[in-house]
Amino acid sequence: MPSITKPLVPLLDLPRNSIGLTQREYEGAMSTLCAGCGHDSITAALVQALWELDVQPHMIAKLSGIGCSSKTTAYFAGTAHGFNSVHGRMAAIATGAAAANRDLLYIGVSGDGDSLSIGLGQLIHAMRRNVRLMYVIENNGVYGLTKGQFSASADLGAVLKHGQKNLYAPIDPVGVGLAIGATFLARSFSGDKQQLIPILKAAAMHRGFALVDVLSPCVTFNDHEGSTKSYRYMRQHEVQATEADFIPFRTEVTASIPSGGVQSVTMHDGSVLHFRAAPPDYDPTDRVSVMRYLQERHEAGEVVTGVLYVDEEAPSLHELTNTTETPLVKLPHEALCPGSEALERLQRSWM
Amino acid sequence: MPSITKPLVPLLDLPRNSIGLTQREYEGAMSTLCAGCGHDSITAALVQALWELDVQPHMIAKLSGIGCSSKTTAYFAGTAHGFNSVHGRMAAIATGAAAANRDLLYIGVSGDGDSLSIGLGQLIHAMRRNVRLMYVIENNGVYGLTKGQFSASADLGAVLKHGQKNLYAPIDPVGVGLAIGATFLARSFSGDKQQLIPILKAAAMHRGFALVDVLSPCVTFNDHEGSTKSYRYMRQHEVQATEADFIPFRTEVTASIPSGGVQSVTMHDGSVLHFRAAPPDYDPTDRVSVMRYLQERHEAGEVVTGVLYVDEEAPSLHELTNTTETPLVKLPHEALCPGSEALERLQRSWM
Amino acid sequence: MTAVAAPAATRVNDFAIKLANVNGTGSASANSLVMEAIFRMGVPVSGKNLFPSNIQGLPTWYEIRVNHSGFVGRVQRYDLAVAMNAQTIERDIAEVTSAGFVLYDSTFPLDSRLFREDVTYLGIPLARLCNEHFDRARDRILMKNIAYAGALVALLGIEPQVLDVLLDDKFARKLQLRQANHLALQLGMDYARDTFDCPLPIQVRRMPSSESILIDGNTAAALGCVYAGATVAAWYPITPSTSLMDAFTRFCERFRRDPETGRNNYLIIQAEDELAALGIVVGAAWNGARAFTATSGPGLSLMNEILGLAYYAEIPAVLIDVQRTGPSTGMPTRTQQSDILECAYASHGDTKHILLFPGNPFECFEFAARSFDLAERFQTPVIMLSDLDVGMNDWVVPKLTWNDAYIPDRGIVLDADMLERLQAFHRYSKLDAEFVAARTLPGVSPLGAYFARGSGHTEDGVYTEFPDEYQKVVDRLAQKHAAAARHMPEPVIERREGARIGLVTVGGCDLAVREAIHNLDQIGVQAGYMRVRGFPFGRSVQAFLDEHERILVVEQNRDAQLRTLLTLETAVNKSKLGSVLAYGGYPLSAEPVVDAVLQLEGS
Amino acid sequence: MTAVAAPAATRVNDFAIKLANVNGTGSASANSLVMEAIFRMGVPVSGKNLFPSNIQGLPTWYEIRVNHSGFVGRVQRYDLAVAMNAQTIERDIAEVTSAGFVLYDSTFPLDSRLFREDVTYLGIPLARLCNEHFDRARDRILMKNIAYAGALVALLGIEPQVLDVLLDDKFARKLQLRQANHLALQLGMDYARDTFDCPLPIQVRRMPSSESILIDGNTAAALGCVYAGATVAAWYPITPSTSLMDAFTRFCERFRRDPETGRNNYLIIQAEDELAALGIVVGAAWNGARAFTATSGPGLSLMNEILGLAYYAEIPAVLIDVQRTGPSTGMPTRTQQSDILECAYASHGDTKHILLFPGNPFECFEFAARSFDLAERFQTPVIMLSDLDVGMNDWVVPKLTWNDAYIPDRGIVLDADMLERLQAFHRYSKLDAEFVAARTLPGVSPLGAYFARGSGHTEDGVYTEFPDEYQKVVDRLAQKHAAAARHMPEPVIERREGARIGLVTVGGCDLAVREAIHNLDQIGVQAGYMRVRGFPFGRSVQAFLDEHERILVVEQNRDAQLRTLLTLETAVNKSKLGSVLAYGGYPLSAEPVVDAVLQLEGS
Ligand SMILES: Cc1ncc(C[n+]2csc(CCOP(=O)(O)OP(=O)(O)O)c2C)c(N)n1
Ligand SMILES: Cc1ncc(C[n+]2csc(CCOP(=O)(O)OP(=O)(O)O)c2C)c(N)n1
Ligand code: SF4
Ligand code: SF4
Ligand SMILES: [Mg+2]
Ligand SMILES: [Mg+2]
């Protein structure tokens, strides 16, 4: 939990990114989550990813719903506006925010309860509109904040501490995203910062809606034996489909990209996302094969991580609706109000 | 529209089913939909399917949301209880009804607006619980009752009479069902009664949640050139993946089943559902291959109809929750109230 | 049978007619054609569309009220009925005043049980005429309507050339249709002239044209949103609010497309449901855009939770509720004013909202624009309560005007410089006399960041669970709401010498109540008039209540919701408040109001 | 420093202590252990848990009030504070009464700024003691709590053997834990005995044990639902209602499993959201099951639309709203009574609901059961409004009783035979003196079918858009609601000789208000008492209001919501009604009530 070590190190000797900021400027308030909560590791990854992306912290807008996971928007980018809204509606609220001002970087953080139960309809429709929004699900299979009931991503047959057994098959946001035509689908693990950071960076640069499903163990209610959202399980069953290795144009370090089986996708802003496919034939742009592969691995009891599907061709909401380049919030009233003469003219036909 | 011809023919000479009822007993009030509306053809198919199934009409419970499609529950099984509830929540209300009384046959009728926009979350979670419910979506790609706005199943690029163009990719309930583990997924066309009737019968006999997506042209707002929900389009692009040919046990007419490429599924009540696969290798029980096939056909611009996916192994809600055989509504109060002595005993630990 | 000239004396510019049709047969355009023609002759008129929640085959009515003094509220009996619907013809004929007229299609004989001694039957073989002159089945059905419109032109003495102009405008680009319409119109006119002595005693005569327009409230409200500078709109289709968003879309396409780039200076999202619709609005408003949604009862109920969020996180949001008959789905195509109470206190916990009550399309335009100023000044949701009658029917109102000097009231929004100069920024602490706090918009500067939340927070927006910190903020919210009273539109008040009774009403009841007061005056009974136009209530509302011994609150709901709000939110003694309630779904007419006052006077 | 015996006189069975901890450190069990021990000594006691909306690391308090006369409402200052949380220790010490005590962990020195002249500090090296005697880190943390509990046993003079029994019950099957707990308890006791002169002036002495139990309202309500025969429950997790459904689940597993088949005579569904939860309940109730859901404010707001459906389609539905601090997400773990207004009129259009207001766990049990009878008799939603204080805190209440002769009131439900005998079945026409109509259940017989709908319908449930047919039904709904008044639980009323002031309150305010009345009596001020327990209000409520010159409505919300409801739904003159409002999120205490009455008396 970065924010907790905050007081210790003096700022000066910290490394700075190309806009001269240290990671400190990307941190937020002190976390109040349980010690060891996976969510805090994701926060840490977000801090580093944003720092590496050289974004102005105050040009970020953070949105969340309600839940332990949704609290984390307070724990990074302290100088960015945040909106901890209501349970399950963040996708809609973020859609409105993105509609109003296309110049900010929108980061939505949610939980599996927030996104796959009460908020499922909103999530799916935001994906369908391809709103430019990085949407992180801190997925622990339970409702943490309400003390550990099963969420819709709980594993079939999973057992809670007090013996209750989950009867229903889990909903996989990546699977749903594939079914409804989402344009960026990734999965990672809170314990694997090295993989998570480039994925978050790629998601941030995506042209439209970028869903990042991060398995994030709830150490208090769901990190026990047999939980597929536990640290132990993840360490054993994780299979990396692709490793995202993200290089913004301004710093070409192609050197670091190994040859062979490399799959490159150019992001809408010109930067390039390279995939090193674990299964050499893995093509994250071919929906059908992605579906097949994920289904097969799933049946083999594996959790495939990485950037699993990308479509950089699909236009985002603003492109679809042909809104002006200037953020709508920045348009002067003159540009919006037709004025009295136009009103006069308009009314002729009504007289 | 059966209900409209009602007054004309005398009852006597009508054929009767094995419980001695004529189709009349499965009809309902006069339809108030537009002449030629696809929904009325589905009503007609439902009437015949129910008649052929020999169900007692009053043992049916009809539920719907709000929309032209949702009105149709009034147009069949007039002696059955009906519930025209609120927009988008029928799946939940039907879940409660099914929970209370497992002995009735539950038929939910909805529209694409009712099910894929406002009601998407409820629909998905009802599928996930595998509630025993036949859920028919009368899918016309528009909001008929509110005068023709696009629904979430409208085709990308579709154009409305007054020139508006749809910008978003359609949501396919069958695709979503596959992604979240639904157990019965079928698609048909209101204009193809011959295929629709056996599908509806199969759905009615399914062990759990049976989704039947019926493309049903809206002659008033969406039957024009270029609409993939139009009669013309369907006639041209329909591909039958499977023909359901349903035979209840009590009347073994195995004779009618052709040999070769036949795929049989035994329904939970022992009756058998036979699939004649159009592509000889089509296996409606193999999710992965079903996904692949549908995706491919979709990209080829075809609409695959038939019973597309079935899993008769998956237990239904009552089986999952191990509720008693007797419908909960039929349990006498004595069986439910622990009584004063138990209360006495219970409280000892609290004193 | 031939027409028997009615004994009744001639009544110029003072009558009502009802046109009964089957919906989906294209009668709507014919009916409004007649109404528009009367309007163009400078005569005050109203056209009320009583349509079913159905697309084809059910009964639909169109009521035209003509009144030289401008009393064009609804009446309950008609001087003439155009009976084109077999399903309802009995009811329709029954509603004709004695010595009135019934126009029907005499192609088929009229059931003798439908004959009334005291009315004159005007049979016109509409079907036969159209079958003789038109070949396409579609035309034969559609043109019947234009034919009876033609007959009405002759019977009511409407100037034919007015219709020629109307048809020419309407079908400017559709020659064939234009010709067909002209022909059908002529057929009806000629037949009427040849068969009956025209005009009837009820007739229209040109009046000096005033500067008025014919417009419905939803179109006007949409225009108000455009003029106020709304850039983001989100909605979910629902009658009777749908046409508002349709109009907003049309206006944006016309006025908001950048001439150079052809790009849009607006973004309209048809959401997946009403929760999302308001969510989108709140997100956009948090980000600084003027954003709104339009809905009706069921949508409003679904918006309850997010309304509470906007109230507590202090986010401007404009919601237009075009009310219809509840509860639940109710009667979607019937009018009512029954969301008043829910709108005032929507959402759980302690909440109070700002409400605006337009009484006609003119005010829909004005108040819609004003909603955004109020929402941004007070950083809270503002709900404009229109209704189906005001929103969907065509009203004759004064021409809309716009002051080009208008500058949007954005409330206290700190920009980067202000933040620099400021010592510290406290998002949720009182900054002005009206208990409003300063807000900032995302992206403004590193100094402007704050955390918006619906959970307990301090004056800095920091999460808290301490009673004192929590109360500081919610107490200010209550004070802020009270302070808004000064900014609400004043009630419309008409005092009357020696009036002991005061009639208080709201919204579209306006005309009917004024008419009632006029009629009462005729028989020497005086009653004061007040139409409230905003909540929280201001001083003038209290004053009017105090001035009168007895108050009758006239409203269109079962539970006297406006009376309830007055009881709670003014100092009035509720025993003083009586009610006139009309909630069957049709627009209000003067009769019940007159009766109620007389009864009260009597007692 | 060593203990200075406080100068204060001995106070037996009359004191309050506050235990301040960090949540997630396992203090809860130690705290309730102390409270339970006092309860088992027959002494009236209450334990209030002030916990954060967080899982680990934030401040949490437990307040124990001991009072021989049963006044165990909350107090605002404490005779003893157990200060285990560095984050809040300053506030915690400040809240100790002069001449009070502070128990702290003396392993680490206490910041000198925290010293107060007028209190006695009881330092106990809890950490050191535990580190010396326990090896596992987990134990070292957990056992600190048991150790201070042990110290309290000695300091307050609690009978040690009572704790032995408690621990033995609690860890019956866990030998090792039992031993650890006994040891820790002993460590605390011994250290206290050796270091301070025990017991302190504030002490517990056994009283003749009464027939009471210790129980929280959510557990009691869940039990009430089981006894009433609820078979279908649907919910979505939300604090503070979650523990109600947890309890219902446990009770069903215990009492509703068929001994032979092992199958369940119930079905509980954790829904995807609150819309679905109420939807499921309405579907089940339409089908004849006794079904309910439990939620809190945000969920209630989401249920608004479906509540209107149930009201209009006349479907029984039981909803338990365990209120928390609003608006919006508010303070989820703080109490309030701020959903009263929304519950009374929830949903758009004209709606009114039946409400029940339990004041303690005993009534939660009774009213929960009663809700189903009312819902089925009147075929409408019934909302029981509990709150976090009543629902989640442990209360001492009389033993629950159940009358085995109880027969569920299903209202008018026609079976196949009745339908046979009946001429015709009209689903929505008045059948009894209370304006209730007959209903049938799906599957009953071909004669019983009807169409339930939220759209306009006739007395037969047929779709209509005609005003008269629509009004017939909604008018009956209003009359039906009014008729329910006779069936509501009577208000609890205590008249006082010569009392000019009447205190009216609701729910968990009960104890504090009674205590206030008692304290006022001590100083010669009389005030009458009424606690309303149901809505619509009956005659007795009106009578009490009439009997008193001035009324003070005591409630836990900002906007005086109960006062609002009384203003609207009784004949009282609102100028007579004053308010005492406590809405910071903590349970009510007597002080503000006493102050308000004195102020009023003064004026
Ligand atoms: C409308 C509404 N219903 C219920 C709740 C209670 N609630 C708060 S958080 C939460 C679930 C959180 O689960 P998840 O989104 O997975 O987050 P986690 O705590 O597991 O990180 C619930 C049900 C609420 N705040 N609002
Ligand atoms: C909460 C709510 N929002 C909106 C509406 C208005 N409404 C009625 S039907 C409908 C859509 C119907 O579309 P669909 O389900 O596809 O049925 P169709 O008429 O096309 O058969 C809408 C939006 C409503 N009744 N309730
Ligand atoms: S309860 Fe679980 S999810 Fe919540 S903070 Fe603790 S570990 Fe994280
Ligand atoms: S509007 Fe369309 S969907 Fe509705 S009834 Fe007419 S044809 Fe059918
Ligand atoms: Mg979770
Ligand atoms: Mg549709």
Side-chain angles (χ1 to χ4, degrees), chain B residues 39 66-69 87 111-114 118 138 140 142-146, chain C residues 236-238 274 298-299 302 324, chain D residues 305:
Chain B
H39 300 353
I66 299 289
C68 295
S69 38
H87 194 35
D112 42 323
D114 201 57
I118 192 168
E138 299 184 343
N140 55 15
V142 294
Y143 289 180
L145 191 55
T146 49
Chain C
Y236 188 71
I238 185 167
E274 287 87 351
L302 288 174
R324 66 189 210 184
Chain D
E305 190 198 8

Side-chain angles (χ1 to χ4, degrees), chain D residues 171-247:
Chain D
F171 303 108
R173 266 175 237 70
K174 305 201 190 90
L175 179 64
Q176 213 216 352
L177 256 174
R178 186 156 84 237
Q179 289 169 335
N181 277 270
H182 277 293
L183 170 56
L185 199 74
Q186 203 59 49
L187 289 171
M189 270 193 284
D190 296 346
Y191 188 92
R193 288 223 186 77
D194 303 348
T195 323
F196 319 111
D197 29 35
C198 297
L200 301 173
I202 50 170
Q203 46 193 260
V204 186
R205 197 165 305 150
R206 182 173 283 281
M207 286 171 65
S209 73
S210 61
E211 277 285 275
S212 25
I213 57 169
L214 197 62
I215 188 173
D216 64 88
N218 284 350
T219 301
L223 200 56
C225 296
V226 171
Y227 272 73
T231 51
V232 175
W235 67 300
Y236 188 70
I238 185 166
T239 308
S241 72
T242 301
S243 63
L244 196 160
M245 231 15 121
D246 291 344

Side-chain angles (χ1 to χ4, degrees), chain A residues 48-318:
Chain A
Q48 193 175 332
L50 293 169
W51 177 72
E52 292 180 7
L53 283 169
D54 304 320
V55 265
Q56 284 288 357
H58 73 278
M59 293 301 284
I60 297 168
K62 309 169 294 180
L63 298 101
S64 60
I66 299 290
C68 295
S69 37
S70 294
K71 288 181 177 184
T72 62
T73 40
Y75 309 148
F76 65 92
T79 54
H81 276 66
F83 194 164
N84 190 179
S85 63
V86 289
H87 194 36
R89 315 302 169 196
M90 179 267 282
I93 292 169
T95 298
N101 184 349
R102 59 190 299 171
D103 278 359
L104 304 180
L105 171 60
Y106 294 93
I107 302 178
V109 181
S110 177
D112 42 324
D114 200 59
S115 288
L116 304 181
S117 295
I118 191 168
L120 186 55
Q122 268 68 56
L123 170 59
I124 290 176
H125 284 274
M127 286 201 252
R128 180 169 178 256
R129 294 187 187 99
N130 206 25
V131 178
R132 190 172 179 209
L133 164 68
M134 155 156 77
Y135 190 103
V136 179
I137 299 180
E138 300 183 343
N139 191 343
N140 55 16
V142 293
Y143 290 179
L145 191 55
T146 50
K147 297 189 179 288
Q149 301 82 5
F150 287 118
S151 78
S153 70
D155 324 301
L156 191 59
V159 179
L160 287 184
K161 283 182 172 158
H162 36 86
Q164 249 176 307
K165 195 151 159 294
N166 178 39
L167 307 170
Y168 311 105
I171 292 178
D172 169 12
V174 172
V176 172
L178 281 170
I180 64 107
T183 60
F184 184 106
L185 297 163
R187 176 157 20 237
S188 189
F189 168 43
S190 62
D192 185 349
K193 214 168 156 183
Q194 185 203 0
Q195 182 204 39
L196 182 53
I197 290 167
I199 287 178
L200 293 172
K201 288 164 71 179
M205 304 312 292
H206 179 57
R207 179 177 190 167
F209 191 101
L211 179 89
V212 185
D213 178 38
V214 188
L215 301 186
S216 176
C218 169
V219 293
T220 303
F221 299 112
N222 195 27
D223 194 32
H224 45 80
E225 193 63 68
S227 157
T228 64
K229 308 283 188 302
S230 69
Y231 283 114
R232 192 187 296 92
Y233 183 92
M234 281 305 292
R235 295 248 156 66
Q236 287 161 7
H237 297 73
E238 193 181 358
V239 178
Q240 300 213 353
T242 65
E243 276 168 31
D245 172 359
F246 176 74
I247 295 115
F249 254 44
R250 48 197 175 300
T251 57
E252 275 279 22
V253 267
T254 29
S256 75
I257 312 166
S259 56
V262 172
Q263 171 80 25
S264 301
V265 178
T266 304
M267 309 301 283
H268 77 293
D269 66 345
S271 53
V272 183
L273 185 59
H274 302 272
F275 298 100
R276 201 178 306 95
D281 66 336
Y282 190 85
D283 174 0
T285 66
D286 171 6
R287 176 178 274 106
V288 183
S289 65
V290 167
M291 279 186 178
R292 190 196 302 106
Y293 180 70
L294 295 183
Q295 186 66 32
E296 284 162 0
R297 297 295 90 215
H298 175 73
E299 276 161 20
E302 296 173 350
V303 181
V304 185
T305 63
V307 174
L308 304 176
Y309 179 74
V310 200
D311 174 359
E312 278 296 321
E313 300 311 308
S316 68
L317 176 65
H318 278 292

Side-chain angles (χ1 to χ4, degrees), chain C residues 410-477:
Chain C
R410 307 298 313 266
I412 313 172
V413 181
L414 305 177
D415 61 24
D417 305 349
M418 294 168 170
L419 286 162
E420 275 294 349
R421 276 184 267 104
L422 225 59
Q423 302 300 20
F425 163 53
H426 307 290
R427 170 64 181 99
Y428 292 110
S429 68
K430 172 178 186 290
L431 199 99
D432 73 8
E434 290 175 326
F435 304 92
V436 176
R439 69 174 183 139
T440 58
L441 305 182
V444 59
S445 102
L447 300 174
Y450 75 94
F451 212 80
R453 58 171 86 243
S455 47
H457 49 272
T458 67
E459 293 188 300
D460 289 319
V462 174
Y463 183 80
T464 186
E465 290 175 353
F466 286 115
D468 45 0
E469 295 179 332
Y470 160 82
Q471 282 176 240
K472 256 214 178 72
V473 175
V474 296
D475 288 347
R476 185 177 52 75
L477 292 183

